[in-house]
Amino acid sequence: MSQLINHHPASFRDPSGFIYEKEGTVYRFVSSLYKAHYELLQSSGLSDELLKKKLLLPYTALQENHTGRADWYLTLVPQYIPLLSYAWEWSFSQLKDAALTTLSICKAALQKGMILKDATHTNIQFVDGKAKLIDTLSFERYEQGEAWVAYRQFCECFLNPLLLAQYTGFEVHKLMLSYPDGVPANITSKLLPLKTKLKPSIYLHVHLHANMSGKATGTANGSTKKISQKNIEQILQNLEDCISNLKLPSTTTTWNNYYDETILSDDYLSAKKEIVSSLLGSLNYSSVIDLGANEGEFSLLCKKEAMVVSTDFDSACIDSLYQRLKKEKQQHILPLVVDLTYPSPGMGWTNAERTSFFQRKSFDVCLALALIHHLAIAKNISFEQLASFFASICKTLIIEFVPKTDPKVVGMLQWRKDIFEGYTEDQFEVAFEERFILKQKTDVPGSKRTMFVYQKK
């Protein structure tokens, strides 16, 4: 029997186990090395408590060794996650909630005699509208006197980028793309304003660490100072208080007030919603990707039984949508910050640990509303390239064509040379009919725009 069955390329660092896939199902191999920790996770009641609070991804246990490995102890079947997302695709509030979830889990673990041995954002996913820990093997028995080994990792992965976002205006997804393993304390300390040194929590968790980085740790024989459980609990509470008070700086972009101020007209928006609702109602689908979703007005028209991914390059829009979904307890929409012209690349070891965004999933339906002029004119992407791209990610495409006479396109061309002679509705149709079958074409009242429905050939 094969020892490794579709071993997940991101699951190789922890000797306690790994993720693999067999016949379309994702499994977690648990090594006999982890037996004592797993039994404590169960017997202490920690697993049940975290599952009840929806902080841990649900899983079931199987007595089936698919791998043939002699060190097999148990097989877990975690809940299916339709689409993995990463911190470099999250908004400020998403990273903040992921941080607070990690701290809540660690605090609960300590009360049960366990602790998190790692605290990375890659162990968190947004499932059913809530940040959850997906790595069941992150827990280990807490030994009295030992420090929280994941403390620095937590600060680098969560606290430091959130602080930089609040105090410098950096966007967290861009920070995490530059520092996928977390922003180091020395970098954070240099970028934060001087006044943050006067804030005890920030001084303790960032500036003091930066001062100590590069200095020898421990004593000559390698021993380290003991720390009590109460001290660890105080650190966790201090981190929670600090992060809970962080807020996304108020910003106004071209896009996060789009529906209120820059949309063509209320009649246009109302008519477009009616058209899109009708089109979606006529389709059979279980997954949708809304590209250039802004604050998700059209994602919200999708049926709640479907998994909807709403993307936009504007992190303020996505943060606003995330906050709205939380408030309304809508669980079927996953908002992500994605720039279509620079989507998340493959990252990590051999570029395979974290796959590029559009390699992760294809969708039944793609919404591309008021988007094509931004790609074709602002980014000089041809209709042929766009048709090929959309055909690679969906079966049904609902796309809005915005003509050159549209006020938005006129504005875009006001200060640049018009080199887009081929940007016509006829040329658009010719290019898209190479890869799609036209199913429906509807004028959008209140505008000169046209809605097309295409079925992939």
Side-chain angles (χ1 to χ4, degrees), residues 84-300:
L84 293 172
S85 64
Y86 301 113
W88 40 92
E89 295 155 357
W90 297 347
S91 70
F92 177 91
S93 297
Q94 287 174 297
L95 185 66
K96 179 177 172 178
D97 282 354
L100 294 175
T101 294
T102 303
L103 291 173
S104 294
I105 291 170
C106 198
K107 289 170 68 176
L110 267 179
Q111 297 306 308
K112 302 291 186 182
M114 303 197 81
I115 197 166
L116 285 178
K117 64 183 179 183
D118 43 31
T120 167
H121 49 73
T122 55
N123 281 349
I124 300 291
Q125 287 292 319
F126 289 89
V127 182
D128 300 328
K130 188 172 174 59
K132 296 181 182 181
L133 180 73
I134 62 170
D135 187 359
T136 318
L137 309 189
S138 282
F139 302 95
E140 65 181 6
R141 179 185 295 277
Y142 168 66
E143 301 293 343
Q144 290 289 339
E146 289 192 357
W148 182 30
V149 294
Y151 169 59
R152 187 180 72 173
Q153 185 182 45
F154 176 86
C155 291
E156 293 180 345
C157 285
F158 296 108
L159 177 66
N160 296 353
L162 289 169
L163 286 172
L164 287 171
Q166 169 157 320
Y167 286 99
T168 72
F170 280 117
E171 294 175 291
V172 295
H173 69 286
K174 292 180 179 177
L175 283 165
M176 301 316 297
L177 191 60
S178 299
Y179 296 96
D181 291 329
V183 187
N186 59 338
I187 300 293
T188 307
S189 180
K190 288 176 183 174
L191 294 174
L192 286 175
L194 188 61
K195 66 181 181 182
T196 60
K197 292 188 176 182
L198 301 177
K199 294 181 178 295
S201 293
I202 301 177
Y203 180 78
L204 173 67
H205 299 304
V206 180
H207 296 298
L208 183 60
H209 280 195
N211 291 338
M212 294 175 66
S213 65
K215 296 180 180 179
T217 58
T219 61
N221 61 9
S223 65
T224 55
K225 185 179 178 180
K226 296 291 184 181
I227 183 170
S228 69
Q229 178 174 335
K230 185 177 181 181
N231 289 148
I232 296 177
E233 290 171 346
Q234 289 172 336
I235 290 171
L236 293 172
Q237 187 60 53
N238 189 273
L239 285 167
E240 185 176 289
D241 292 342
C242 178
I243 290 173
S244 294
N245 290 323
L246 294 178
K247 294 180 180 177
L248 181 67
S250 178
T251 57
T252 299
T253 69
T254 302
W255 307 106
N256 68 352
N257 63 344
Y258 185 71
Y259 293 117
D260 293 332
E261 298 179 11
T262 63
I263 200 73
L264 294 179
S265 69
D266 289 341
D267 289 342
Y268 160 76
L269 181 59
S270 177
K272 186 169 155 182
K273 280 187 175 179
E274 190 172 327
I275 291 170
V276 173
S277 290
S278 175
L279 294 175
L280 287 169
S282 67
L283 298 173
N284 181 25
Y285 60 92
S286 60
S287 60
V288 178
I289 185 165
D290 185 0
L291 301 176
N294 197 269
E295 294 180 343
E297 287 291 320
F298 295 92
S299 299
L300 291 162

Side-chain angles (χ1 to χ4, degrees), residues 21 41 66 113 157 197 303 440 455:
E21 183 177 332
L41 177 67
H66 300 133
C157 285
K197 292 188 176 182
K303 62 182 181 182
Q440 192 170 336
Q455 192 71 36

Side-chain angles (χ1 to χ4, degrees), residues 350-387:
T350 68
N351 288 112
E353 280 188 74
R354 321 291 174 202
T355 50
S356 64
F357 181 74
F358 287 111
Q359 283 183 323
R360 282 175 232 157
K361 183 176 178 62
S362 61
F363 296 82
D364 292 334
V365 176
C366 173
L367 297 178
L369 309 177
L371 176 68
I372 193 165
H373 53 307
H374 295 292
L375 299 173
I377 292 180
K379 300 296 182 180
N380 292 37
I381 302 172
S382 71
F383 286 148
E384 289 76 15
Q385 288 174 296
L386 290 169

